[in-house]
Amino acid sequence: MLGAMFLNFLMALLEVIGGIFSGSLALISDALHNINDFFALLISYLAEIISKNKKSNLKHTFGFRRVEILSALLNGVLLLGVFLFLIVEAFHRIKSPKEVEGIQTVIIGVIGLVGNILGALLLHEDSHHNLNIKGAFLHLISDAISSVGVIIGAMFIIFYKLYIADTIISLLIAGFILYSSIDLIKETLHILMEGTPREVDINEIQKLICKIPGVRDIHHIHVWQVSTKDYLLSAHVVVEDQKVSEAEKIVSQIKDTLREKFNINHSTLEIESETYFKEKECQCEY
């Protein structure tokens, strides 16, 4: 992440200077996007340090792992801010067109593309299992796509003198940023609202648990996330009337199943005897 931050800062600095001298709104837009991404990466980096090093305590019994999600949400909001800025600037440019230096824009656009691709490659692997890093990765991918747009727009300016292409590319970049930010915000809000993880099927959980010998029913199932990788579950499990020690063996089997099949490493199970559950119909079928 530090490597990606360094590359992003260099690309932003280069594009700001290049955008001013070439007059390219698309290049300046991409530069501002890179500046925003630098701060997004910085926030993500600090969030990773906090979530890993701040231990749980009596006031925060799950530690500070939720910082990862809050950071991803903030990154999504920052992307929305960039989108609004680009829309306003593109509107002004349409009203007052300006000449753009196509060759300078192409050169800087290519350098920016290479830098963004290298930064994205540094984060690609971890982006699959960490929502915070995924947010940073999406920033860099959107930057890379923006750089491609800048290059295409500059080519139209060089060969056809279509200066409006620069503004059109800026609007396309803004549209992609909007799409990325909404998707990231939706995912983070789903977690903050204690939504069921998208990879988890509660009906499938019920079916598998019901296959464990001695289990008569499982209900009041709740599954949620503290962070991208931390799934939690609580449920009531109805078992045959038996010794506590035997019931504990069933609980252990259930937890093993949850861990192996659904990646749920923290589960809280309340055991109920079928003697006191007889007034209700058991859901498990044999």
Side-chain angles (χ1 to χ4, degrees), residues 27-38:
L27 200 55
I28 292 175
S29 301
D30 198 30
L32 291 174
H33 193 191
N34 271 301
I35 291 172
N36 177 80
D37 288 354
F38 170 76

Side-chain angles (χ1 to χ4, degrees), residues 21 76 230-231 244:
F21 281 99
D230 298 303
Y231 294 175
V244 174

Side-chain angles (χ1 to χ4, degrees), residues 164-224:
I164 190 66
D166 186 73
T167 304
I168 293 172
I169 293 299
S170 297
L171 290 172
L172 292 175
I173 292 172
F176 179 78
I177 291 172
L178 177 64
Y179 173 80
S180 299
S181 62
I182 289 177
D183 184 62
L184 185 59
I185 289 172
K186 283 173 61 178
E187 193 168 355
T188 54
L189 287 178
H190 181 75
I191 293 174
L192 291 174
M193 292 298 292
E194 309 292 359
T196 302
R198 296 176 181 180
E199 300 82 5
V200 175
D201 185 342
I202 290 183
N203 289 326
E204 186 65 21
I205 288 177
Q206 190 175 43
K207 289 178 182 178
L208 287 177
I209 300 305
C210 281
K211 292 179 180 179
I212 295 175
V215 175
R216 298 293 292 127
D217 185 80
I218 178 168
H219 56 278
H220 290 172
I221 304 172
H222 302 282
V223 187
W224 69 101

Side-chain angles (χ1 to χ4, degrees), residues 35-54:
I35 291 172
N36 177 80
D37 288 354
F38 170 76
F39 286 106
L41 287 166
L42 179 61
I43 292 168
S44 299
Y45 178 71
L46 294 175
E48 283 297 302
I49 293 175
I50 293 171
S51 64
K52 288 181 178 179
N53 296 316
K54 291 282 286 183

Side-chain angles (χ1 to χ4, degrees), residues 255-265:
K255 290 189 174 184
D256 288 342
T257 300
L258 292 172
R259 188 181 303 108
E260 294 167 6
K261 301 293 185 181
F262 302 97
N263 198 31
I264 298 174
N265 295 311

Side-chain angles (χ1 to χ4, degrees), residues 239-258:
V239 299
E240 298 169 352
D241 204 357
Q242 57 193 282
K243 293 180 180 180
V244 174
S245 58
E246 295 300 320
E248 287 176 345
K249 291 180 182 179
I250 295 175
V251 169
S252 180
Q253 284 183 272
I254 293 173
K255 290 189 174 184
D256 288 342
T257 300
L258 292 172

Side-chain angles (χ1 to χ4, degrees), residues 39-214:
F39 286 106
L41 287 166
L42 179 61
I43 292 168
S44 299
Y45 178 71
L46 294 175
E48 283 297 302
I49 293 175
I50 293 171
S51 64
K52 288 181 178 179
N53 296 316
K54 291 282 286 183
K55 304 301 181 182
S56 60
N57 54 50
L58 294 178
K59 289 186 177 180
H60 301 90
T61 55
F62 282 108
F64 291 81
R65 288 171 288 178
R66 184 54 64 86
V67 172
E68 172 199 327
I69 307 304
L70 294 174
S71 171
L73 177 62
L74 180 57
N75 283 341
V77 173
L78 287 174
L79 280 172
L80 278 180
V82 172
F83 162 76
L84 293 174
F85 176 81
L86 293 183
I87 291 297
V88 172
E89 287 301 309
F91 175 76
H92 290 312
R93 184 61 66 93
I94 291 172
K95 290 178 63 178
S96 304
K98 295 181 181 179
E99 288 192 8
V100 179
E101 294 292 334
I103 295 177
Q104 293 180 18
T105 304
V106 166
I107 294 172
I108 297 172
V110 170
I111 296 173
L113 176 61
V114 172
N116 288 318
I117 289 174
L118 289 175
L121 287 174
L122 290 173
L123 301 181
H124 178 259
E125 184 176 349
D126 287 331
S127 68
H128 292 299
H129 50 78
N130 185 307
L131 191 59
N132 181 35
I133 295 179
K134 179 183 178 181
F137 174 75
L138 285 175
H139 277 276
L140 293 173
I141 289 296
S142 63
D143 275 342
I145 293 175
S146 299
S147 295
V148 172
V150 168
I151 295 168
I152 293 173
M155 298 301 290
F156 274 98
I157 291 170
I158 292 172
F159 292 107
Y160 304 106
K161 302 298 181 182
L162 291 175
Y163 297 113
I164 190 66
D166 186 73
T167 304
I168 293 172
I169 293 299
S170 297
L171 290 172
L172 292 175
I173 292 172
F176 179 78
I177 291 172
L178 177 64
Y179 173 80
S180 299
S181 62
I182 289 177
D183 184 62
L184 185 59
I185 289 172
K186 283 173 61 178
E187 193 168 355
T188 54
L189 287 178
H190 181 75
I191 293 174
L192 291 174
M193 292 298 292
E194 309 292 359
T196 302
R198 296 176 181 180
E199 300 82 5
V200 175
D201 185 342
I202 290 183
N203 289 326
E204 186 65 21
I205 288 177
Q206 190 175 43
K207 289 178 182 178
L208 287 177
I209 300 305
C210 281
K211 292 179 180 179
I212 295 175

